[in-house]
Amino acid sequence: SPLLQFVSNKKSLIIVDEAHELSNTTSQQYKIVNGLIRRGKPDSVYLATGTPITNDPQNFYNLLSLIDCEVTDDWQYYMEHYCGAIKIPKNKEEKEKRDRISRNFVISKHKNNWYELTDEEKKELNEIISKSVKMITIPKEPTNLDELKERTAHVYLRREKEDVGDLPQKHIIEKTYELTDEQREEYNRLWDEYVTENENKELNKSLLEVGLYRRYLSNQMVPNTINLVDKCIKKGEKVVVFCCFDEELYTLRDYYKEKCVIYNGKCSLKEKDAAIKKFTEDDSCMVFLGNLQAAGVGITLTVSRVVIFSNFSFVPSDCRQGEDRVHRFGQKREVFVFYQFFKDTQYEKMWNIVLKKELIINQVIKKENEK
């Protein structure tokens, strides 16, 4: 195999497991590995991951660049061609500068507005703006995914679980709930209250809504999670529950007490190992409460076959990694995964975004039998 040839010829080689952790260039992991590759100049780099695209084609670029895939030679082209990216002024001051330049340019051409400019004049104006105004590149809707699929298919081997061994079936189940009238009133009040408290600040509603509503809804979801977990326990099932906020995690812990263990970023390595051991070996311990970021990777919980997301991530790979703590080699029974959300809320919007992102991911990564 190529790997054995590298070893026998004493070639330098770097292998990175859980490589999806490198999809964010601001992460410490990425900075360390990127520095190691750039300074060490190994003969070959292998990235191992079950989720090469964690979110969108932009994240995929970051992994492809580590292995020097030719599609990453021009970052701006990649962003515009595959991520539908546009350039916008860096801040309010730069936006005002752009508008002033555009206004003066239109006047100099004796036109009334931008729409009256010829194509050549528009091109000239864009060149002036690009040289004078500080811009940032913002990805939008992914584009040309079939082309990206063809240009990258040669740099990876895709092995799905069914290709390398038999695994029991995994069932994905959506559980939807209605907010009560009181909950809906509080839900609608949150944004107005936040705006009043921050009336002198420039607010990005689309971003702030996510944090405001998710934290509120996560707490409102806890009773539904308890009800679902209790039903599973009555059937003799151990249950893995994933949360995104510590508050909901601790509320569940206070309810289940000695019947549960907790696993989050605040636990020491010793405490994490003890939690896994107790859940796996103690018949009286029925519930594993995990923070999705902390417990979603690197551990095996096949003693359970039920996963319940009390809260879930915008990033599809985070959710799939969580599922795979139970649906992995060593699992002998069918697996049931429950995703919960309230209708007509930020949760439901998030779920639809996750499904859309998964569709995009599957459009880019080819199966081996498709190559």
Side-chain angles (χ1 to χ4, degrees), residues 235-287:
K235 296 178 181 179
E237 300 287 353
K238 285 178 177 272
V239 183
V240 175
V241 179
F242 284 115
C243 303
C244 294
F245 300 107
D246 283 341
E247 187 174 354
E248 58 184 319
L249 201 68
Y250 295 144
T251 302
L252 289 165
R253 180 195 62 184
D254 293 342
Y255 177 84
Y256 286 106
K257 299 183 172 66
E258 70 279 355
K259 290 183 180 180
C260 76
V261 292
I262 191 169
Y263 189 115
N264 65 3
K266 296 177 182 177
C267 296
S268 66
L269 289 176
K270 185 176 181 180
E271 290 171 331
K272 290 178 179 178
D273 290 341
I276 296 172
K277 180 179 176 64
K278 182 176 180 180
F279 182 67
T280 302
E281 300 179 3
D282 187 342
D283 292 339
S284 68
C285 182
M286 301 300 292
V287 185

Side-chain angles (χ1 to χ4, degrees), residues 73-97:
D73 290 345
D74 187 330
W75 179 81
Q76 191 64 43
Y77 176 83
Y78 184 100
M79 291 297 293
E80 293 175 359
H81 196 64
Y82 300 120
C83 303
I86 61 172
K87 287 185 175 182
I88 64 172
K90 185 177 181 179
N91 50 41
K92 183 179 180 180
E93 289 72 22
E94 295 299 319
K95 180 180 182 299
E96 291 173 351
K97 183 192 294 185

Side-chain angles (χ1 to χ4, degrees), residues 108-355:
S108 71
K109 298 299 180 181
H110 307 290
K111 303 291 176 65
N112 294 313
N113 53 56
W114 181 87
Y115 298 100
E116 293 183 4
L117 297 176
T118 65
D119 289 342
E120 284 300 316
E121 288 171 339
K122 290 177 181 178
K123 182 178 179 181
E124 181 184 351
L125 174 57
N126 286 335
E127 289 176 353
I128 294 173
I129 290 174
S130 65
K131 293 177 181 178
S132 307
V133 180
K134 295 179 181 178
M135 310 285 281
I136 56 175
T137 300
I138 303 295
K140 293 291 186 179
E141 290 294 316
T143 56
N144 302 303
L145 297 183
D146 288 339
E147 178 186 323
L148 181 60
K149 179 195 293 186
E150 295 302 322
R151 293 192 63 188
T152 57
H154 65 288
V155 301
Y156 61 82
L157 294 173
R158 183 179 184 182
R159 290 286 185 266
E160 297 188 313
K161 290 177 180 177
E162 55 265 30
D163 297 330
V164 292
D166 292 328
L167 269 180
Q169 189 173 357
K170 177 172 65 175
H171 305 274
I172 305 295
I173 302 164
E174 298 178 10
K175 296 283 289 184
T176 59
Y177 309 97
E178 296 278 1
L179 289 175
T180 65
D181 291 342
E182 293 77 13
Q183 289 172 326
R184 178 67 65 180
E185 183 178 352
E186 176 67 11
Y187 179 82
N188 292 331
R189 185 188 64 79
L190 286 172
W191 176 251
D192 292 336
E193 183 181 82
Y194 189 87
V195 170
T196 300
E197 292 176 353
N198 297 271
E199 58 183 347
N200 296 322
K201 298 179 182 179
E202 187 174 343
L203 304 176
N204 185 329
K205 184 177 181 181
S206 62
L207 290 178
L208 289 170
E209 275 183 325
V210 174
L212 282 173
Y213 292 148
R214 276 190 75 194
R215 191 172 293 276
Y216 171 72
L217 292 173
S218 69
N219 292 325
Q220 303 309 305
M221 185 61 73
V222 168
N224 297 311
T225 299
I226 288 174
N227 183 53
L228 187 54
V229 171
D230 285 348
K231 287 180 180 179
C232 295
I233 291 176
K234 286 180 180 179
K235 296 178 181 179
E237 300 287 353
K238 285 178 177 272
V239 183
V240 175
V241 179
F242 284 115
C243 303
C244 294
F245 300 107
D246 283 341
E247 187 174 354
E248 58 184 319
L249 201 68
Y250 295 144
T251 302
L252 289 165
R253 180 195 62 184
D254 293 342
Y255 177 84
Y256 286 106
K257 299 183 172 66
E258 70 279 355
K259 290 183 180 180
C260 76
V261 292
I262 191 169
Y263 189 115
N264 65 3
K266 296 177 182 177
C267 296
S268 66
L269 289 176
K270 185 176 181 180
E271 290 171 331
K272 290 178 179 178
D273 290 341
I276 296 172
K277 180 179 176 64
K278 182 176 180 180
F279 182 67
T280 302
E281 300 179 3
D282 187 342
D283 292 339
S284 68
C285 182
M286 301 300 292
V287 185
F288 182 96
L289 301 173
N291 173 277
L292 184 56
Q293 288 298 316
V297 296
I299 62 176
T300 297
L301 303 171
T302 50
V303 68
S304 170
R305 65 166 180 163
V306 179
V307 178
I308 296 174
F309 284 86
S310 191
N311 204 330
F312 52 89
S313 171
F314 259 124
V315 182
S317 64
D318 290 346
C319 301
R320 296 298 169 243
Q321 288 282 342
E323 295 172 14
D324 288 349
R325 299 315 96 210
V326 168
H327 191 247
R328 60 195 296 109
F329 296 120
Q331 181 59 261
K332 305 299 183 185
R333 303 175 295 165
E334 285 184 291
V335 169
F336 296 86
V337 180
F338 295 88
Y339 284 92
Q340 304 180 103
F341 54 85
F342 290 106
K343 292 181 180 178
D344 301 319
T345 67
Q346 190 70 36
Y347 260 13
E348 188 170 32
K349 293 178 183 178
M350 281 181 61
W351 180 243
N352 291 329
I353 290 172
V354 168
L355 295 178

Side-chain angles (χ1 to χ4, degrees), residues 6-24:
F6 278 117
V7 174
S8 62
N9 293 332
K10 296 182 179 179
K11 298 286 187 178
S12 58
L13 172 68
I14 291 179
I15 302 176
V16 182
D17 195 15
E18 304 290 356
H20 51 272
E21 297 288 349
L22 308 177
S23 61
N24 182 357

